[in-house]
Amino acid sequence: MVRYTSAHATHETAADTDARPAHDRSRTATTTRPTQPARRPRLSCRAAVLSAAALALSLPLAACASPSDGEGKGSGDGPSSSAAGSAYSPGPTPTVAPAAYRRALAAALGPLDSALHAVDSAHDGGPLNGALDAAAAKADTTAGALRSTATPDDALAGNSQLASALNALAQDLRSARGSGGRCAASPRVALGTARSPQSVKLAGRALTALGYDAALRLPRTERARHRRLANGAFVHDGSRGGLGRLTVKNGTGTDAVVTLTHGARAAFSVYVRSGSEATVRGVNNGSYTVYFTTGEDWSGAKSSFTRECRFEKFDDRAAFRTVRVAGGTQYTVLTFSLNKVIGGNAGTSAVPPGEFPS
């Protein structure tokens, strides 16, 4: 801000007296100008005549300068132009210390790593299902902890990706949980086809490459198997000594096993590949219920397919009988088609897996 000086009286100082001739020093004269009302300073530079003795009061040069001349540049009466024109600029926000993030990351991933290792070593069945449930819960908890963890700028993207991948892993761990039924793929096979384990690996590698160890020991997986028996092979073969004959045509897109039961016992079970047919000879006389199951990857231990399973039975029973007639013997020959055909006369019904005969 430019400051102006206004004066109403001028007093002669001792320095002025010394500068005058000696005959004038005996007199000390003070010239006083009548007091005038204060005037508003004007921007024009003009000398002010203050007395009849032609004593002039020179205003400081700063008072004659206009605001456009630099507003007191170099003067102690006002701020400099550089200071007046500058604005406060906050410094960069301090980032999270990498060491602190590493400690938080290790604390969050440690319990999950142990839970996943338990899945890796668990036996099939109940123990494996329990380990999968525990690991899924830990994966969700860890994902939440990562999202609330203060993260360095260079790790923000990787931290977010890892949290999302862990949520997806939790869902896949629960989905892989075996039902314990006959038609159930191994949980390790289900995990082998899931995408989340690979996503967890990629996110962990990205953080590790930046210096933040995010490695996890994911459970071992198994590839889907495609086990098949030879067409016409017997899965179960009881005593056959009759003359009856059964032909099965499998027009479905998957392999099938057909089982005939006599009462509560299975008489025989035959494997029929997709697009093929098989014939069983020597069927004994009697009335049979005809069951069939279709699917992929036949497991001998479970006596069932492990994928895409269906369990059904024909509504009508199959009756085989042998009679002697003039000139020979008459016996039954039946043909069953597993695919739906136009004009077919055999209905089918779904069967619970547990009720399907072994």
Side-chain angles (χ1 to χ4, degrees):
M1 181 178 68
V2 178
R3 297 176 180 177
Y4 296 91
T5 302
S6 63
H8 303 299
T10 301
H11 299 281
E12 197 171 274
T13 65
D16 295 331
T17 305
D18 293 341
R20 292 172 61 186
H23 63 276
D24 289 337
R25 291 179 185 175
S26 60
R27 296 182 302 170
T28 300
T30 299
T31 305
T32 303
R33 184 176 180 180
T35 302
Q36 298 179 358
R39 294 182 179 180
R40 187 176 182 179
R42 293 165 41 170
L43 294 181
S44 62
C45 184
R46 182 175 63 179
V49 180
L50 302 178
S51 68
L55 296 177
L57 176 63
S58 300
L59 297 177
L61 291 177
C64 298
S66 66
S68 62
D69 292 333
E71 295 196 3
K73 182 183 298 183
S75 171
D77 293 336
S80 64
S81 60
S82 61
S86 64
Y88 172 74
S89 177
T93 303
T95 187
V96 178
Y101 176 65
R102 291 189 188 97
R103 290 192 295 270
L105 191 62
L109 296 181
L112 173 61
D113 191 65
S114 298
L116 292 174
H117 184 62
V119 172
D120 191 46
S121 58
H123 295 291
D124 289 346
L128 180 55
N129 287 340
L132 288 169
D133 289 340
K138 287 292 185 184
D140 277 333
T141 300
T142 304
L146 291 180
R147 288 191 174 91
S148 61
T149 297
T151 308
D153 293 342
D154 61 343
L156 286 173
N159 187 80
S160 177
Q161 291 172 1
L162 181 57
S164 298
L166 289 178
N167 282 137
L169 177 63
Q171 295 179 2
D172 286 337
L173 288 170
R174 293 188 182 96
S175 298
R177 191 180 188 279
S179 63
R182 300 179 62 179
C183 180
S186 167
R188 303 190 191 283
V189 173
L191 284 177
T193 59
R195 295 182 179 180
S196 61
Q198 185 64 20
S199 298
V200 171
K201 286 182 181 179
L202 293 176
R205 288 173 184 170
L207 285 173
T208 301
L210 295 173
Y212 309 109
D213 186 9
L216 287 168
R217 296 176 296 177
L218 294 170
R220 61 185 174 88
T221 60
E222 297 175 358
R223 292 185 178 181
R225 303 174 68 180
H226 301 276
R227 293 167 288 183
R228 306 173 76 188
L229 298 181
N231 186 62
F234 284 98
V235 175
H236 169 74
D237 191 12
S239 61
R240 289 179 294 112
L243 296 178
R245 188 167 62 196
L246 172 68
T247 297
V248 179
K249 296 181 178 180
N250 182 6
T252 69
T254 55
D255 291 357
V257 171
V258 178
T259 300
L260 269 64
T261 63
H262 185 55
R265 300 179 60 182
F268 61 85
S269 298
V270 61
Y271 194 97
V272 187
R273 289 194 171 192
S274 172
S276 302
E277 65 177 60
T279 300
V280 178
R281 301 176 185 275
V283 181
N284 295 326
N285 291 340
S287 177
Y288 298 87
T289 302
V290 182
Y291 292 87
F292 66 96
T293 177
T294 57
E296 296 181 2
D297 183 41
W298 178 257
S299 169
K302 291 183 176 182
S303 294
S304 172
F305 294 102
T306 65
R307 296 189 304 275
E308 305 296 329
C309 301
R310 296 178 60 187
F311 298 92
E312 299 180 71
K313 70 175 181 177
F314 285 94
D315 295 334
D316 295 332
R317 298 176 66 86
F320 289 85
R321 64 177 183 168
T322 302
V323 294
R324 293 187 178 275
V325 294
T329 304
Q330 205 173 56
Y331 56 88
T332 304
V333 175
L334 293 178
T335 298
F336 284 93
S337 295
L338 301 184
N339 57 310
K340 297 183 181 300
V341 295
I342 297 176
N345 58 0
T348 61
S349 301
V351 176
E355 296 181 11
F356 191 87
S358 299

